[in-house]
């Protein structure tokens, strides 16, 4: 089971992307817990949930440096969602991005 956390400004715009990523995961036979939280909920979520990767929406990618130290000590990869994939709500490509990051840390 892969746990993928998406982060955006309010947690709303990524909800459609989460739905599309879940469909893509199902089609590929990948067991994944994919969810979105607002940037202000990241710390609380990390305390209560083990995640495999954190992806930042384009509107909060500037926060990457803020989150990197916390995630590095837990060995959690972080990246910004490709803007083109986000704009097109391409759940399959964003899922691939997440799975590539998880595989790279293994």
């Amino acid at each position: 089971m892969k746990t993928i956390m998406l982060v955006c400004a309010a947690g709303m715009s990524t909800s459609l992307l989460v739905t599309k990523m879940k469909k893509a995961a199902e089609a590929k036979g990948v067991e994944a817990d994919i969810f979105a939280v607002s940037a202000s909920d990241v710390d609380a979520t990390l305390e209560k949930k083990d995640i495999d990767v954190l992806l930042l929406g384009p509107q909060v990618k500037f926060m990457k440096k803020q989150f990197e130290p916390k995630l590095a000590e837990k060995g959690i990869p972080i990246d910004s969602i490709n803007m083109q994939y986000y704009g097109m709500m391409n759940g399959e490509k964003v899922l691939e991005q997440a799975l590539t990051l998880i595989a790279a840390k293994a």
Side-chain angles (χ1 to χ4, degrees):
M1 172 69 89
K2 311 284 185 224
T3 306
I4 302 167
M5 181 163 82
L6 306 185
V7 178
C8 73
M12 297 305 291
S13 56
T14 47
S15 60
L16 177 61
L17 187 57
V18 165
T19 302
K20 292 192 173 206
M21 287 175 72
K22 285 180 177 179
K23 281 186 180 144
E26 202 176 303
K28 289 176 182 275
V30 174
E31 279 192 50
D33 175 15
I34 306 167
F35 62 97
V37 299
S38 66
S40 59
D41 290 335
V42 170
D43 290 337
T45 305
L46 288 172
E47 281 182 27
K48 61 184 179 217
K49 196 164 182 131
D50 288 329
I51 65 164
D52 293 305
V53 65
L54 186 150
L55 292 175
L56 296 167
Q59 68 277 52
V60 292
K61 69 179 179 189
F62 69 91
M63 299 179 91
K64 186 175 178 186
K65 286 193 178 353
Q66 177 187 328
F67 293 131
E68 276 176 329
K70 294 172 197 162
L71 297 171
E73 62 190 42
K74 294 179 179 229
I76 300 168
I78 179 174
D79 201 3
S80 301
I81 297 171
N82 177 302
M83 209 136 158
Q84 190 176 358
Y85 301 158
Y86 191 90
M88 296 173 69
M89 288 286 143
N90 190 329
E92 189 175 346
K93 289 289 187 191
V94 178
L95 177 67
E96 283 174 20
Q97 182 182 0
L99 295 176
T100 299
L101 288 165
I102 293 169
K105 81 166 186 175

